[in-house]
Amino acid sequence: MAKKTVFISYDYDNDKHYKNLLVAWDANKDFDFSFYDASVDVSVDSDDAAAIKRVISTRINNATHFLCIVGEKTHQSKWVAWEIDKAVELKKKMIAVKTAKDNTTPTGLLGVGAAWALSFTFASIKKALDDA
């Protein structure tokens, strides 16, 4: 089986620790995680966002899978919404995992055939990636 390259989308301000956990799990040779790891203090609608969007678009395009970490405030992130839309546009295999079961799902993940990890554990996320 070919190695999966996984773009991770997450709310930078609120869910970095979950992304860091995935990075620690990246030692597993089944995956190659990728993400845009910079604080985005620029509005997604700003003219200044164009360069950031180009970098993120390239990273999503180069990935085989798109994994969205759904934290408590993720549904409010315009950047995560843009990344989800870009991944759908690029026809990426969609995976999502909630950090808590009652977190609101971003609307862009609805109806796109996303595979869901049932808990934020390595085994659950690996299963969702394998099933996607």
Side-chain angles (χ1 to χ4, degrees):
M1 179 188 290
K3 187 174 185 177
K4 296 172 180 70
T5 53
V6 184
F7 182 89
I8 303 168
S9 179
Y10 65 102
D11 179 350
Y12 182 88
D13 292 328
N14 298 293
D15 296 321
K16 281 184 284 206
H17 53 288
Y18 291 103
K19 184 272 305 182
N20 290 337
L21 185 55
L22 288 174
V23 170
W25 292 340
D26 196 24
N28 181 298
K29 299 303 176 203
D30 291 337
F31 313 125
D32 183 17
F33 291 123
S34 172
F35 42 86
Y36 185 77
D37 197 17
S39 178
V40 181
D41 293 332
V42 176
S43 169
V44 72
D45 300 323
S46 164
D47 290 337
D48 297 334
I52 295 169
K53 286 180 177 180
R54 280 192 297 276
V55 171
I56 294 172
S57 292
T58 298
R59 291 186 184 187
I60 293 171
N61 192 48
N62 290 338
T64 59
H65 294 69
F66 178 90
L67 170 64
C68 184
I69 299 171
V70 180
E72 183 180 354
K73 297 182 180 180
T74 303
H75 69 285
Q76 298 171 346
S77 170
K78 290 184 179 181
W79 275 107
V80 171
W82 181 86
E83 290 170 349
I84 291 168
D85 290 346
K86 181 55 68 172
V88 169
E89 173 188 323
L90 294 171
K91 298 181 179 11
K92 296 300 162 182
K93 294 178 182 176
M94 306 292 286
I95 301 95
V97 60
K98 290 186 177 185
T99 60
K101 66 179 182 172
D102 58 341
N103 290 350
T104 302
T105 301
T107 56
L109 287 175
L110 300 174
V112 296
W116 283 87
L118 300 180
S119 62
F120 200 92
T121 63
F122 178 81
S124 184
I125 293 170
K126 182 180 185 314
K127 182 177 181 343
L129 283 164
D130 289 343
D131 291 348

